[in-house]
Amino acid sequence: MKRRPLFAANWKMHKAPAQAADYVVQFWAAAEALVTKADIVLCAPFIDLETLRVELAPSRVRFGAQDCYWEASGAFTGEISAAMLAALGARYCIVGHSERRRLFGETDETVARKVAALLAVELTPIVCVGESLEEKQQGLTAARVTSQVQAGLGALSDEQRARVAIAYEPIWAIGTGLSDDPVTANATIAMIRGASGGLADARILYGGSMNADNAGSFCAQPEIDGGLVGGASLDPRGFLTLIMNGLKAAA
Ligand code: PEP
């Protein structure tokens, strides 16, 4: 079965609700024509999610969060649960982004808990894995990403694994303008798929300085099912062009 492409915007800590609404006005009608060929999701700061729920109501573009907590409710000041995201109508949630691992203490263990909580409420986790520059230089890419995937998805059944999306994001490529070589990224993604059972039907995305110019060369690779896009997703027209170029190359 051919996997359905997925393009996910990671807005990071950008856009207040008024800007999120303005983005959707410029984005959704054109995106609607692309949703027949790919899943498109805007992963936004928590404060934007209600705005996206309202503004995207007539659309098949989905919205999601960038993190969550695994308990459904309780005394966890400052946290938002997977169940709360589901109640709001979010469909996706990024988990284990390298910025959260590096700056906010995310671990393989907390990633696994969040993935399980998201699947339990029918959200799609986008699980981020990737090696540092040092690990790449030491030839440790395969070992690093394999251990992250095993730790994050290890307890899942094959049916659950097929519902997860993985984003392979070399840390040194995120926000630097230094994207990976598409053939190398494809080989790493093939390795991820081969090293863990049950991933034949799971979408595996590339992330790391993907833009409208290079999206085609990544999406032309057989193992790359789309992109997790940071900086280049902030402008609605630029993100639309990126998706169009990616889909053209994947066809
Ligand atoms: C990201 O934040 O997941 C990302 C890939 O960022 P950028 O596209 O800016 O490198």
Side-chain angles (χ1 to χ4, degrees), residues 112 116 149-157 160-161:
V149 171
Q150 298 286 10
L153 279 58
L156 305 182
S157 67
Q160 288 173 314
R161 286 174 186 226

Side-chain angles (χ1 to χ4, degrees), residues 10 12 94 97 99 128 169 173-177 206-210 228-232:
N10 176 13
K12 310 196 189 205
I94 297 170
H97 191 281
E99 287 153 14
C128 300
E169 301 204 303
I174 297 177
T176 59
Y206 170 77
S209 297
M210 185 183 267
L228 177 58
V229 185

Side-chain angles (χ1 to χ4, degrees), residues 97-143:
H97 191 281
S98 63
E99 287 153 14
R100 295 218 62 86
R101 291 180 192 258
R102 182 168 50 89
L103 300 171
F104 303 106
E106 186 84 277
T107 65
D108 285 341
E109 194 212 332
T110 59
V111 168
R113 288 182 175 218
K114 291 175 184 185
V115 168
L118 288 162
L119 289 172
V121 292
E122 307 287 331
L123 263 75
T124 301
I126 302 175
V127 182
C128 300
V129 300
E131 82 286 1
S132 66
L133 184 58
E134 219 171 47
E135 288 164 337
K136 179 183 170 64
Q137 287 165 342
Q138 292 171 7
L140 296 174
T141 299

Side-chain angles (χ1 to χ4, degrees), residues 46 49-50 53 63-65 67-69 71-72 80-93 114 116-124 163:
F46 289 127
L49 298 183
E50 170 63 9
R53 183 186 72 77
F63 64 93
D67 189 27
C68 69
Y69 195 63
E71 297 287 352
I80 304 281
S81 71
M84 288 169 162
L85 295 175
L88 190 66
R91 297 289 190 90
Y92 293 80
C93 183
K114 291 175 184 185
L118 288 162
L119 289 172
V121 292
E122 307 287 331
L123 263 75
T124 301
R163 291 198 279 132

